[in-house]
Amino acid sequence: MSAASIKYVFLGKELGARPEDLSCYDTEGKALYDRIAATPLFSAGIQRLLKGAANFKISLMCAEKDPIACHRTILVCHKLKAFNLQIKHILSDGNLESHQDLEARLLSKFNQEKNNDRPIQLSLFELAPQVQDEVVDLETAYYRYGLTRAYKLSDK
């Protein structure tokens, strides 16, 4: 990488999804991204990225096929967007996806098209039909999806 003038800086301690700080976990040992983001260590990592972005092109590396499945999207980019940065995600086919488009995909995971004119399947076993009318906002989508991706202490 150095031959290509690329420098690698490890920020896993600051921006990682497996913090040593036990206050970042719920009672079942699951890491909670909102708690991680509220730590001084995470803030220091964000500030380090912002300082670096003033002078360099920054890439956050990930091994996930789809960036929506990575904590760097759900935790780090979620907080970085407040700084008005241009965030783009590299898809498995090499195409770029804006963070705005990725957030639209995230919302669609929780807000399937609501069509009240569509017939619903009634069940002989349920007392009332289950119709989902809840519309999930972006912050709730981040939180709920984060729970599906979060590290659990027992996963060690």
Side-chain angles (χ1 to χ4, degrees):
M1 288 194 327
S2 59
S5 299
I6 296 173
K7 295 181 182 181
Y8 176 78
V9 178
F10 178 76
L11 292 175
K13 187 172 183 175
E14 294 87 349
L15 301 175
R18 298 180 180 193
E20 294 175 7
D21 182 348
L22 295 179
S23 72
C24 294
Y25 295 87
D26 67 12
T27 57
E28 296 171 3
K30 185 172 273 199
L32 299 175
Y33 290 170
D34 56 338
R35 290 187 190 174
I36 296 169
T39 65
L41 192 59
F42 184 85
S43 293
I46 292 292
Q47 290 305 312
R48 182 135 185 228
L49 281 177
L50 294 172
K51 185 178 177 185
N55 298 307
F56 302 99
K57 290 182 180 181
I58 304 290
S59 294
L60 303 179
M61 303 301 290
C62 172
E64 299 288 350
K65 181 177 181 180
D66 185 347
I68 205 168
C70 180
H71 85 278
R72 287 166 191 82
T73 295
I74 303 302
L75 172 60
V76 180
C77 292
H78 177 209
K79 299 305 175 187
L80 280 175
K81 73 179 192 165
F83 297 96
N84 214 17
L85 300 172
Q86 183 180 14
I87 300 171
K88 293 189 178 184
H89 303 278
I90 304 171
L91 302 176
S92 62
D93 65 3
N95 286 315
L96 298 179
E97 178 180 44
S98 73
H99 193 67
Q100 259 185 322
D101 288 346
L102 185 139
E103 286 181 329
R105 278 200 302 132
L106 177 61
L107 276 172
S108 73
K109 288 184 170 294
F110 296 94
N111 295 318
Q112 301 300 323
E113 269 189 54
K114 311 278 189 289
N115 185 347
N116 294 334
D117 296 334
R118 187 177 52 205
I120 59 172
Q121 178 68 45
L122 297 177
S123 170
L124 295 173
F125 306 103
E126 292 179 14
L127 295 176
Q130 298 295 315
V131 179
Q132 182 184 0
D133 287 329
E134 177 188 29
V135 175
V136 174
D137 65 22
L138 187 57
E139 288 305 307
T140 302
Y142 268 112
Y143 179 78
R144 288 184 183 174
Y145 196 65
L147 290 176
T148 70
R149 308 302 310 165
Y151 171 72
K152 192 168 182 179
L153 287 172
S154 61
D155 292 344
K156 281 186 175 181

